[in-house]
Amino acid sequence: RKEVEQDPGPFNVPEGATVAFNCTYSNSASQSFFWYRQDCRKEPKLLMSVYSSGNEDGRFTAQLNRASQYISLLIRDSKLSDSATYLCVVNPPDNFNKFYFGSGTKLNVKP
Amino acid sequence: GAVVSQHPSRVICKSGTSVKIECRSLDFQATTMFWYRQFPKQSLMLMATSNEGSKATYEQGVEKDKFLINHASLTLSTLTVTSAHPEDSSFYICSACPPGGGAGDETQYFGPGTRLLVL
């Protein structure tokens, strides 16, 4: 079983729409969670961390559900520039600096 | 902010040759660096953890004799793809964590990646 699983999409949404992605992780002892954004042919860049209490950064909201072992990312008022692949990242319990990436969810925001 | 560089940014080589990719932390020392591989339309896959002064730790299914990792200094890790074959063509990305990072500290910095094409 994969450590992290995501719906690959693509999610095709119009500008201004609200879109949500989920990601499930297999190891219940995983410590930390992140969302990264990756543009085509570029390295991934940190979008936001995911805290147990949930956190918000502008139009982006991340939440963690430990009981069901999933994290989510909500994007409100989608912009064309939000088009990218969103990667769910999990730290395994044995190494706080090791990252396991999900397969990524492709988002296409259309005018 | 902290920067990680990779060299070369892209390389084309013939099947059977070896290719070395360098990963450098430019303004911090990194006792640990990570190497990832990304095939087209797929996500990043962790290949190995590079430890300064000791042997690298490889993920399951990654051949350590195929992908040689050397972490000779606190700012440099190298990945050598030995006897490269077309199926090794991929995007190789390294990352590094500044000292003091831990407990899932998000200050992990990625290099820009190296595109390898083996003909």
Side-chain angles (χ1 to χ4, degrees), chain A:
Chain A
R1 183 183 173 187
K2 292 183 180 179
E3 291 88 0
V4 186
E5 300 211 48
Q6 287 182 256
D7 179 347
F11 284 59
N12 300 306
V13 303
E15 266 187 295
T18 295
V19 61
F21 311 134
N22 280 344
C23 160
T24 58
Y25 59 95
S26 60
N27 192 327
S28 60
S30 296
Q31 295 292 320
S32 303
F33 311 87
F34 309 90
W35 283 103
Y36 272 72
R37 168 189 171 135
Q38 187 175 26
D39 293 289
C40 188
R41 303 175 75 85
K42 301 279 189 175
E43 75 275 23
K45 293 190 185 297
L46 178 65
L47 180 64
M48 60 197 306
S49 303
V50 186
Y51 303 125
S52 296
S53 55
N55 50 305
E56 187 174 312
D57 182 3
R59 299 182 292 108
F60 299 85
T61 301
Q63 294 200 314
L64 167 65
N65 185 317
R66 282 197 181 272
S68 301
Q69 293 180 212
Y70 76 84
I71 67 173
S72 64
L73 176 68
L74 179 78
I75 305 175
R76 290 181 296 277
D77 189 22
S78 299
K79 311 289 185 190
L80 294 177
S81 57
D82 293 334
S83 297
T85 296
Y86 291 83
L87 302 166
C88 170
V89 180
V90 174
N91 271 136
D94 61 322
N95 187 326
F96 291 139
N97 289 318
K98 183 186 286 189
F99 279 4
Y100 286 125
F101 283 81
S103 57
T105 298
K106 184 81 171 77
L107 172 65
N108 296 315
V109 181
K110 311 278 188 185

Side-chain angles (χ1 to χ4, degrees), chain B residues 55-119:
Chain B
K55 291 182 179 179
T57 305
Y58 290 81
E59 295 297 301
Q60 191 173 10
V62 178
E63 301 174 58
K64 61 181 180 181
D65 295 328
K66 169 79 174 175
F67 299 98
L68 301 178
I69 291 174
N70 187 312
H71 196 146
S73 77
L74 288 171
T75 59
L76 174 64
S77 174
T78 60
L79 169 69
T80 301
V81 183
T82 63
S83 186
H85 291 284
E87 57 265 29
D88 297 323
S89 299
S90 188
F91 189 41
Y92 292 86
I93 305 176
C94 71
S95 72
C97 301
D105 191 312
E106 59 259 35
T107 52
Q108 177 165 155
Y109 298 97
F110 285 84
T114 297
R115 294 207 173 273
L116 171 62
L117 176 61
V118 183
L119 303 176

